[in-house]
Amino acid sequence: MSLQKSVKSSGDRSEQADTTSICSSVTTQPDRHGFFGGAQYSPEPKRTVSPSTILKREQKWLRMLDNWEAFMSKNYKKVRERCRKGIPASVRPKAWLYLCGGQLLLEKHPNEYEELLQAPGDPKCMEDIRKDLHRQFPYHEMFIREEGLGQQELFSVLKAYSVLNPKVGYFQAQAPVAAFLLMHMPAVQAFWCLVSISDKYLSGYYNPGLEVLQRDGDILHALLRRTAPAVHRHLVKHKVEPVLYATEWFLCALTRTLPWDSLLRVWDCFLCEGVKVLFKAALVVLAGALGPAKVRKRACGLCETLEVLRHPPENILGEEYLVYHMQRLSLTEEDFEFEHQRQTARRRAMANRRSIETSL
């Protein structure tokens, strides 16, 4: 299966799952995240820490944001520690904007977003964006109305990026990322966060050929051999390659995969620590879904294994389980760097061999 087909089919499956869920459960009141139904609907109130603890965390974050450069340059570990505990909802939009560098881009280019919107844009990109608008969290209060303000802002953010970076133009997986950002901040801020995420955090993911994504799939596979060798052996035995299950996880930065509370916590860490957080989340999901021997025994082929990975147990996707096990993975910065260099060199050698064979 090609990567392009895998991206499209996984997106279609997510849309179908969301539609099925909303058809079976519709409500007139949105949940605490703004969903009227669908896969992300969560009617139960979240069990939270005490109000006094929340207030203390908010005050700490506000002081940190007021002295952002000093904290990031001299006390990054404190920033990381507070991100891992979870950013308070009241300061999360501003914290995300600062963490990813979107605020710096906005200050450097204060008028560029509006200027990009005035450009005509590539007709093919504009058409593709319009086709995808209704697919992005269609049962969230911001996007539930056809051609409503949310969909208009989503179109504007995606159009502006396609004009800014014509080499990429518009890539389908950017749409849920942009929509997720728009749920938390004004369009101009969401745009600059999208620019930073697309060009820095997920650099190369949206380029034609998706070679960087394929390399990162190989890195994930190699890290899995260290963290969950039995699961790694199972995937190798049944020829379950990362492109078959992890494409959407990485391209959409888990926005179409995790329950909402888990997604917010993972993104708190992702925007602080980078793409390795997506690797850690993926490793936890893989180990949790295929770790039990009885599950691997039942998943006796490629299709059966993919079915398990497409529908992991709810408990392993839960906020506390996921974040706790991500932080307990026995992987160092050196492990990530080693595998990055190894897989990059391996792919370069493969490309050189193909070039030599073609020239003969």
Side-chain angles (χ1 to χ4, degrees):
M1 181 187 294
S2 70
L3 276 170
Q4 289 84 348
K5 288 182 180 177
S6 179
V7 173
K8 187 178 188 302
S9 63
S10 60
D12 292 343
R13 284 194 303 273
S14 296
E15 184 183 357
Q16 290 167 2
D18 201 54
T19 302
T20 300
S21 180
I22 185 63
C23 287
S24 62
S25 176
V26 179
T27 177
T28 57
Q29 293 294 324
D31 68 4
R32 63 187 180 278
H33 297 304
F35 287 95
F36 285 91
Q40 296 288 6
Y41 182 67
S42 178
E44 296 83 9
K46 183 176 184 292
R47 181 173 57 85
T48 61
V49 295
S50 67
S52 60
T53 300
I54 294 175
L55 180 60
K56 288 178 182 177
R57 289 182 179 178
E58 288 173 339
Q59 292 170 340
K60 289 176 181 178
W61 267 97
L62 289 172
R63 285 196 296 270
M64 195 160 64
L65 289 167
D66 285 340
N67 299 278
W68 189 248
E69 290 186 12
F71 268 92
M72 287 299 285
S73 61
K74 299 178 181 178
N75 204 356
Y76 168 75
K77 287 185 177 180
K78 177 59 69 176
V79 178
R80 184 181 65 187
E81 175 190 322
R82 290 176 178 172
C83 286
R84 289 180 175 180
K85 287 182 179 179
I87 302 173
S90 62
V91 297
R92 181 172 275 133
K94 186 174 182 179
W96 282 6
L97 183 66
Y98 278 60
L99 282 166
C100 75
Q103 178 66 22
L104 292 175
L105 291 172
L106 179 57
E107 292 172 357
K108 187 176 181 180
H109 310 283
N111 303 312
E112 189 163 356
Y113 177 64
E114 293 299 330
E115 293 169 0
L116 292 167
L117 293 182
Q118 299 306 312
D122 178 79
K124 179 65 166 61
C125 286
M126 301 305 100
E127 179 184 358
D128 289 343
I129 292 171
R130 288 192 177 93
K131 287 179 180 177
D132 284 343
L133 292 178
H134 73 282
R135 297 187 176 107
Q136 313 312 319
F137 309 109
Y139 302 107
H140 188 272
E141 59 187 357
M142 190 169 183
F143 303 108
I144 199 167
R145 288 184 54 224
E146 191 82 19
E147 299 182 1
L149 179 61
Q151 290 195 11
Q152 292 175 29
E153 290 189 337
L154 179 57
F155 175 83
S156 295
V157 169
L158 294 170
K159 173 192 173 179
Y161 182 87
S162 73
V163 175
L164 177 70
N165 190 347
K167 181 181 177 182
V168 171
Y170 166 65
F171 196 95
Q172 191 178 44
Q174 291 177 302
V177 175
F180 181 56
L181 290 165
L182 279 168
M183 294 177 193
H184 296 88
M185 59 189 70
V188 63
Q189 295 179 0
F191 166 71
W192 287 115
C193 286
L194 179 66
V195 170
S196 182
I197 291 166
S198 298
D199 297 353
K200 183 176 68 174
Y201 288 76
L202 306 180
S203 177
Y205 275 25
Y206 304 136
N207 290 346
L210 304 180
E211 292 180 2
V212 173
L213 181 68
Q214 294 182 66
R215 180 207 65 198
D216 281 5
D218 293 340
I219 294 173
L220 176 66
H221 208 50
L223 293 172
L224 183 66
R225 187 171 59 235
R226 300 181 184 212
T227 60
V231 175
H232 177 268
R233 287 194 298 270
H234 179 86
L235 296 180
V236 171
K237 176 182 178 180
H238 296 294
K239 297 180 172 58
V240 185
E241 298 179 3
V243 65
L244 299 176
Y245 60 83
T247 295
E248 186 180 67
W249 296 354
F250 282 94
L251 287 180
C252 300
L254 297 172
T255 54
R256 299 189 68 89
T257 304
L258 297 178
W260 215 248
D261 289 314
S262 302
L263 180 61
L264 293 171
R265 289 289 303 279
V266 168
W267 264 58
D268 289 346
C269 299
F270 168 55
L271 295 182
C272 178
E273 302 178 52
V275 72
K276 69 178 182 182
V277 170
L278 302 184
F279 283 91
K280 289 183 176 181
L283 290 168
V284 171
V285 172
L286 286 165
L290 289 168
K294 61 182 180 180
V295 174
R296 296 197 302 275
K297 186 175 181 179
R298 288 199 304 268
C300 54
L302 184 146
C303 293
E304 293 83 356
T305 300
L306 288 177
E307 188 64 18
V308 171
L309 294 178
R310 286 169 186 154
H311 303 95
E314 289 186 13
N315 67 297
I316 71 165
L317 299 180
E319 173 188 353
E320 298 304 329
Y321 179 98
L322 189 63
V323 173
Y324 174 78
H325 285 86
M326 284 170 58
Q327 295 179 10
R328 286 182 61 86
L329 285 171
S330 57
L331 292 172
T332 64
E333 295 282 349
E334 290 73 22
D335 293 330
F336 281 95
E337 183 60 29
F338 173 79
E339 287 300 342
H340 179 274
Q341 293 181 3
R342 190 168 77 91
Q343 298 301 334
T344 299
R346 188 176 73 85
R347 287 198 160 269
R348 188 181 298 119
M350 289 169 58
N352 290 338
R353 282 198 301 271
R354 285 196 298 268
S355 178
I356 292 172
E357 290 170 0
T358 303
S359 64
L360 293 178

